Amino acid sequence: TFDTAAEVTIANRTLDGAPGRWVATPFRPSDGGPAVLVVRGWIPLSVDDDTPPITPVQPPRGELTIAGYVEPTQTRGSFGPTDPPTGRLVDLARVDVARFARQYDHVAPGFFLQLTAQEPPTRAAEIQPVPQPALDEGPHRSYAWQWAIFATIALVGYPLALRRRAHSGGDAPADGGEAPPADADGASGDESAAPSLAVDDRTR
């Protein structure tokens, strides 16, 4: 059975670009074991009722059968809002099971359940199922191939570029300047290299 009196919402959650919240409700198993925090679905911000139980989206009373997938409890990273450590909260920044356990006894620690099926269902148009996470490999394989190609280009292309530069630099003069142009008969245009002719005035 769902204990809607202890229900909370998870703030700042979107669905298809629309702002809203998740509804998280503890579910007590019939065998008397610890309750499990269940994210039952998403509600839009137009549902402004934030006092549990949230009347427009209450589940059926009595025993239900539910199914879902297990998610690890959410914790704050380097950035993000922080929930007050004490007090009774009806709106959490994330599905922090440890923080929820401070206001609800006997809840299974470390994980929550993302609801995928429920019998009998909650017949309320205001609550929508939260999309399941993609079970494919995502873009990781394509990213790996791209970086492998980049690494191959770097390992092969860089030595080739250095080799071409070394070969092209070997034909230049040692001092780094340009060779003097040659005359039409093949002689160098450098006047200092041409032989000098002595003219004897007595032969005139």
Side-chain angles (χ1 to χ4, degrees), residues 199-204:
V199 179
D200 190 351
D201 291 340
R202 292 176 296 179
T203 63
R204 291 181 181 177

mmCIF file of all heavy atoms in Angstrom, residues 199-204:
data_model
loop_
_atom_site.group_PDB
_atom_site.id
_atom_site.type_symbol
_atom_site.label_atom_id
_atom_site.label_comp_id
_atom_site.label_asym_id
_atom_site.label_seq_id
_atom_site.Cartn_x
_atom_site.Cartn_y
_atom_site.Cartn_z
ATOM 1 N N VAL A 199 94.300 46.941 -66.951
ATOM 2 C CA VAL A 199 94.476 47.691 -68.204
ATOM 3 C C VAL A 199 95.783 48.482 -68.113
ATOM 4 O O VAL A 199 95.988 49.254 -67.186
ATOM 5 C CB VAL A 199 93.294 48.651 -68.447
ATOM 6 C CG1 VAL A 199 93.519 49.436 -69.731
ATOM 7 C CG2 VAL A 199 92.000 47.861 -68.505
ATOM 8 N N ASP A 200 96.643 48.216 -69.092
ATOM 9 C CA ASP A 200 97.935 48.884 -69.119
ATOM 10 C C ASP A 200 97.840 50.064 -70.087
ATOM 11 O O ASP A 200 97.534 49.886 -71.268
ATOM 12 C CB ASP A 200 99.036 47.944 -69.581
ATOM 13 C CG ASP A 200 100.409 48.519 -69.400
ATOM 14 O OD1 ASP A 200 100.507 49.724 -69.071
ATOM 15 O OD2 ASP A 200 101.394 47.778 -69.583
ATOM 16 N N ASP A 201 98.033 51.259 -69.570
ATOM 17 C CA ASP A 201 97.899 52.433 -70.406
ATOM 18 C C ASP A 201 98.932 52.439 -71.528
ATOM 19 O O ASP A 201 98.735 53.092 -72.572
ATOM 20 C CB ASP A 201 98.053 53.701 -69.556
ATOM 21 C CG ASP A 201 96.881 53.883 -68.603
ATOM 22 O OD1 ASP A 201 95.825 53.269 -68.872
ATOM 23 O OD2 ASP A 201 97.045 54.565 -67.587
ATOM 24 N N ARG A 202 100.043 51.689 -71.369
ATOM 25 C CA ARG A 202 101.098 51.752 -72.357
ATOM 26 C C ARG A 202 100.733 50.976 -73.623
ATOM 27 O O ARG A 202 101.318 51.141 -74.666
ATOM 28 C CB ARG A 202 102.400 51.171 -71.795
ATOM 29 C CG ARG A 202 103.009 52.019 -70.673
ATOM 30 C CD ARG A 202 104.221 51.379 -70.078
ATOM 31 N NE ARG A 202 103.846 50.124 -69.424
ATOM 32 C CZ ARG A 202 104.733 49.336 -68.838
ATOM 33 N NH1 ARG A 202 106.038 49.607 -68.859
ATOM 34 N NH2 ARG A 202 104.333 48.212 -68.249
ATOM 35 N N THR A 203 99.696 50.080 -73.532
ATOM 36 C CA THR A 203 99.300 49.322 -74.701
ATOM 37 C C THR A 203 98.333 50.066 -75.577
ATOM 38 O O THR A 203 97.918 49.569 -76.592
ATOM 39 C CB THR A 203 98.677 47.998 -74.253
ATOM 40 O OG1 THR A 203 97.514 48.295 -73.501
ATOM 41 C CG2 THR A 203 99.671 47.198 -73.444
ATOM 42 N N ARG A 204 97.867 51.216 -75.146
ATOM 43 C CA ARG A 204 96.902 51.960 -75.933
ATOM 44 C C ARG A 204 97.599 52.584 -77.158
ATOM 45 O O ARG A 204 98.699 53.038 -77.044
ATOM 46 C CB ARG A 204 96.249 53.046 -75.096
ATOM 47 C CG ARG A 204 95.340 52.472 -74.026
ATOM 48 C CD ARG A 204 94.686 53.577 -73.221
ATOM 49 N NE ARG A 204 93.825 53.021 -72.163
ATOM 50 C CZ ARG A 204 93.201 53.776 -71.309
ATOM 51 N NH1 ARG A 204 93.291 55.088 -71.349
ATOM 52 N NH2 ARG A 204 92.439 53.224 -70.391
#
